Amino acid sequence: MKSFRHLILLIAYLVLPFHAFSSTVLIPMDESQKDHLKSYGAAYWVLSKSVSVDWLLNYRGGSFAFQHAPQLENELVVRGISYQVISDAQYNTILTQISDPEANMDVMKLEKVPKIAVYTPKSKMPWDDAVTLVLTYAEIPYDKIYDEEIMRGDLPKYDWLHLHHEDFTGQYGKFYSSYRHYPWYQEQQREAEASAKSLGFKKVSELKGAVVRTIRDFCAGGGFLFAMCSATDTYDIALAAEGVDFIESMYDGDGADPNAQSKLDFSKTFAFKDFSLVRNPLEYEYSNIDMQPQERGLTEPNDFFQLFTFSAKWDPIPTMLTQNHAKTIKGFMGQTTAFRKSLVKPEVVVMGENKEVGEIRYMHGTFARGTWTFYGGHDPEDYQHLVGEDPTDLALHPNSPGYRLILNNILFPAAKKKKQKT
C-alpha cells in the first residue's frame, strides 16, 4: 500500500510540472509581425493538423493563438513568421483582459479547415487575380472550378467560393472596343461559346445567368461567397436581369431588348438596387454602380478608405472581416473600383468606405443561411493593374493591409458559431 502511494506521488510529480509549464503560441498581428499574410497560412495549416486556433479579435491587430507543440513552432520558423511562446498562465491573463465587458475584444474559436474554391478558368495562372495570388503566397490550398463544375453540382463540396475579375453578363469584360482583334480575346470568346453550347445553352449570357443563380443557391444553403472587382456588380446585374436580353449582337449574335432597363428585378440582387445599365456595347463599363475616375477626383497619392470598427462581442462577423493592423487602407483601381453608396441596399453592412466621395469599398451581407462579401478593386498593391502587366510580388508586401481583408474572409468559415446574444 505504501509503495502504491509512492507511485501515485511520483506520477503526480512527473505530470504536474508538465501542465504547469505547458505553453501557448501567440502570433501577433500588429505592427510587430514580419509577415501578416503568411500568418494566415500558418493558422490554416495549424487547423489542418486538427489543432484549434483562437482568433483574438481586436487584440494586437487580430492575433492568433494555439497550444504549443514543437512541430507547430518549427513550421512558423520555416515560414518566417513572428511569434511568441508564452505560458498558459500568461495566456489566461490575456483571455481575462479580452473578456472584460468594457474591452472591445473577443475570442473566436477556429475549429475546421475551410474547403476553398476559386471560380477561374483552368488556364489562368495564380497571379491573374489577387485572391489566387495571396492564397499561393500564404500557402493556403484551393481548388479551381469553373462553369462546368458549378453546373454539374460541385459547389456543395466547398465552404467558401471566390469570384474575381469575371463578367457574369456574358459581354467578355466589355473589352470589345479595345481588344477584339487580339488573339487572346478571340480565343476567350471561342472557348466561352463552346462551353455554353456543351452545357446546353444557346448563349454565354444564358450560361452565366445559370451560374450566378447556382451560386445564389450555394449561399442560401450556408455557403460563403467572396467577390472582388467586376465579379461584384456583374453578379448582381445577372441576377436582376434573369430572362432579360440586354446584350448586343457582337456579344451574343442578336440584338438587345430596348426595354431591358425597365425589366430589371432588383429584389433578386444581393447588394445593389436601382442601378442603370450602361447599354453602349463599346463602353468599358457595365452600369452606374461603379464610381468613375472623373467623379471620384482621386489619384494614387490621396486614394484611401477607412475601415469601420465593430463590437467584437456583439458583431463578431464584421469584426472578423475587418481585422487589421491599420484602419486606413490604400485604395486601388479595377474594372469595378468602388460602389456608389446611393445604389447599395440599406440592409448591407458597410465595412469600408470613402465617405467624402460617397463610395463603398468593402461590404458584407447575408442571404438565407449563407453570407457574401464584396470588395472593390483588382489588386490591393497595384494601384492601376493593366492588361499584360507583370504580377505583383507579394514578398515585397508581406504586411499589406489591403490583402489582409481578403485573408480575413478565408478564415471566416472556420469559426465556430456562437449562440446569438440576446
Side-chain angles (χ1 to χ4, degrees), residues 259-274:
N259 299 314
Q261 176 65 45
S262 64
K263 296 180 180 180
L264 297 180
D265 185 349
F266 301 115
S267 70
K268 296 179 178 180
T269 63
F270 279 14
F272 305 111
K273 62 181 178 68
D274 303 333

Side-chain angles (χ1 to χ4, degrees), residues 27-43:
I27 300 178
M29 294 294 279
D30 54 14
E31 296 289 353
S32 68
Q33 179 55 248
K34 289 186 298 186
D35 198 319
H36 287 94
L37 306 186
K38 284 190 179 292
S39 297
Y40 286 91

Side-chain angles (χ1 to χ4, degrees), residues 42 51 94 101 107 121 126 167 192 235 246 259 267 285 292 308 321 400 402 413 422:
V51 176
I94 292 173
V107 178
D167 175 5
Y235 180 87
F246 64 95
N259 299 314
S267 70
E285 191 56 81
Q292 298 303 304
F308 282 52
L321 297 179
S400 169
T422 56

Side-chain angles (χ1 to χ4, degrees), residues 177-190:
S177 178
S178 299
Y179 296 105
R180 65 182 180 274
H181 299 303
Y182 283 62
W184 65 263
Y185 179 92
Q186 296 168 1
E187 179 62 23
Q188 178 192 69
Q189 184 167 358
R190 282 193 297 267

